[in-house]
Every structure is written in structure tokens, then in C-alpha cells.
């Protein structure tokens, strides 16, 4: 499909990045994080060139880049910067009380759990939980996901009573 897409769209088009995103997901699912990371970097460069630095679509790409860097053992500090930049983009474009912002905080919590920064992860989850409760109440799948992650933190920190 890349061949067909490249015949119909230039490599500097958003349509082309949509196909690249599928290719990146395939590489990730196959465990080839290096190729997935290369593809996401290409998507990011195209999005910046076409859409600009602050476009909301960059937030998702930055989050994917961060998690791929984590999985591949690359620069963890760069991955964290990507997550924080994505959070800022969402906050500026949609707001800090939006479901997208709450989802970003959950992604960040997963990242912080992986790198054993449990207190930061818990803070992200607290804010995310508050946003979701305001938007959908306390009996929603997102709240269950947050409690699952909080339980994971409790187990990982040997706080089995809380888990």
C-alpha cells in the first residue's frame, strides 16, 4: 500500500503519514521497535512540516514515539520530553479538563510505571481520574483502567494491602 500511496501522494502529505502509521503499528506489533521508531520519526517530521509544531495530531505521534523509545531501550529522557510536549499540545489545543488530556495522563502513568517512578505515575492517575469522573461518572471503563494501574503500582511497591 505504500507503493500505491506514494504514486498518489507525495511523501510530504498527511495521507502518506496515515499509511506510515499503519506500517509503524505493524512493525511495533511484530516487535521491530527500531523500524517502528524510524517510521514514527518520519511521520513526525512530515507532520511538523505540513501542520506545524503545535498541531494536535503531533501529540499522538509524540506519545507513540515516547513509548517506542521506552520499549526499544532508547533515550528515556527524550521519551519523557516527548510525553510532556504532547501533554502541552493537548492542553493548549483542547484543554486540561478534556478526555484527550486525561488519556495522555494515563499514557504518561504507564510510562512512569515502566521506569519505576511510581509517585509521578500515581499523580498522573489522580488527575486523570478526576477528569474522567467529571466527564463520565465513576462507573466507566476509564475509571476501571485507572484502578487497575493504581493496583499495579501498589503491587510493584509491595503495598499489597492497598492493591
Amino acid at each position: 500500500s505504500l507503493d500505491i500511496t506514494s504514486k498518489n501522494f507525495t511523501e510530504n502529505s498527511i495521507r502518506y503519514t496515515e499509511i506510515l502509521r499503519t506500517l509503524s503499528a505493524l512493525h511495533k506489533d511484530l516487535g521491530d521497535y527500531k523500524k517502528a521508531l524510524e517510521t514514527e520519526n518520519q511521520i513526525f517530521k512530515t507532520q511538523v512540516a505540513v501542520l506545524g509544531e503545535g498541531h494536535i495530531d503531533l501529540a499522538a505521534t509524540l506519545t507513540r514515539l515516547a513509548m517506542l523509545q521506552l520499549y526499544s531501550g532508547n533515550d528515556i529522557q527524550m521519551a519523557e520530553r516527548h510525553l510532556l510536549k504532547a501533554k502541552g499540545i493537548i492542553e493548549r489545543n483542547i484543554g486540561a479538563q478534556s478526555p484527550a488530556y486525561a488519556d495522555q495522563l494515563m499514557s504518561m502513568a504507564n510510562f512512569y510505571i515502566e521506569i519505576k517512578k511510581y509517585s509521578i505515575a500515581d499523580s498522573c492517575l489522580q488527575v486523570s481520574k478526576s477528569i474522567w469522573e467529571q466527564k463520565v461518572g465513576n462507573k466507566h471503563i476509564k475509571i476501571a483502567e485507572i484502578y487497575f494501574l493504581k493496583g499495579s503500582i501498589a503491587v510493584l511497591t509491595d503495598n499489597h494491602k492497598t492493591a
Side-chain angles (χ1 to χ4, degrees), residues 37 58-59 61-89 104-105 107-124:
L37 196 54
L58 286 175
T61 303
L62 285 165
T63 300
R64 286 191 306 273
L65 275 168
M67 297 313 283
L68 287 167
Q69 286 173 324
L70 173 68
Y71 299 150
S72 62
N74 284 353
D75 186 352
I76 299 303
Q77 287 149 345
M78 175 64 80
E80 184 175 26
R81 285 192 298 274
H82 284 335
L83 288 170
L84 292 170
K85 185 172 183 176
K87 183 179 98 168
I89 290 171
Q104 182 64 26
L105 291 172
S107 293
M108 292 173 71
N110 276 305
F111 172 81
Y112 287 121
I113 289 168
E114 288 292 325
I115 64 169
K116 298 176 176 40
K117 291 187 176 183
Y118 303 120
S119 63
I120 299 173
D122 191 60
S123 295
C124 290

Side-chain angles (χ1 to χ4, degrees), residues 29-46:
D29 290 346
L30 293 172
D32 192 344
Y33 300 126
K34 182 180 178 190
K35 282 187 181 177
L37 196 54
E38 289 169 5
T39 306
E40 287 296 335
N41 275 314
Q42 187 177 356
I43 293 167
F44 178 75
K45 289 175 187 172
T46 301

